[in-house]
Amino acid sequence: MPDRPLRLEGDGFVLRPWRSDDLEALLRHANDEAVSRGLRDRFPFPYTREDGEAFLGGRILAPETLNLAIEIDGAACGSIGAQPGVAERGHTAELGYWLGRAYWGQGWMTRVVGLFAPWVMDELRLFRLQAEVLDFNEGSARVLLGNGFQEEGTARCAVFKRGQLYDLRRFARVRTP
């Protein structure tokens, strides 16, 4: 993990560690059924104050996960992170991200992933960065494809969420030694 203060500046946004004073902004953007719909169940809906405090207190994600706030217009409005693999899969990481609905469809996440993906691959010395997307999430698939990820396949009937069965699409960005 990085051993220096972390702040990545992009075109109109900043990626930085989450802070305790981000709680209100986190609640404003995370407590949205449309945001949580495409994420793992550890990102609940409704998203309560207790959920936000647990997240900001480091009690939700695995300790080795590198997770940064996406700050636009001076406030946190989303998150991007990578969870490294272990042992023989230590050269890989799982990419995850979300963005408040107010910023959807404006190219923000394409730019965020465009900054974060190459940086995290260098920082963690990765040869593979992968992401999984529920089949209905075409926007997220476009973000990945637009940033050098290739679609590798579909796990059929892989996720049962909110009473519905979904396929799971897998994307990866790789480099060789």
Side-chain angles (χ1 to χ4, degrees), residues 53-100:
E53 290 169 349
F55 172 73
L56 294 175
R59 297 186 303 274
I60 302 297
L61 300 177
E64 66 276 3
T65 302
L66 175 59
N67 187 264
L68 302 174
I70 301 167
E71 180 182 302
I72 300 173
D73 298 327
C77 59
S79 190
I80 189 164
Q83 182 173 354
V86 296
E88 75 279 357
R89 296 181 189 204
H91 67 285
T92 71
E94 183 81 22
L95 175 68
Y97 51 83
W98 67 271
L99 187 64

Side-chain angles (χ1 to χ4, degrees), residues 5-6 14 69 92 114 122 154 164 170 174:
L6 182 52
V14 173
T92 71
D122 287 343
T154 300
Q164 190 165 344
R170 174 167 280 178
V174 300

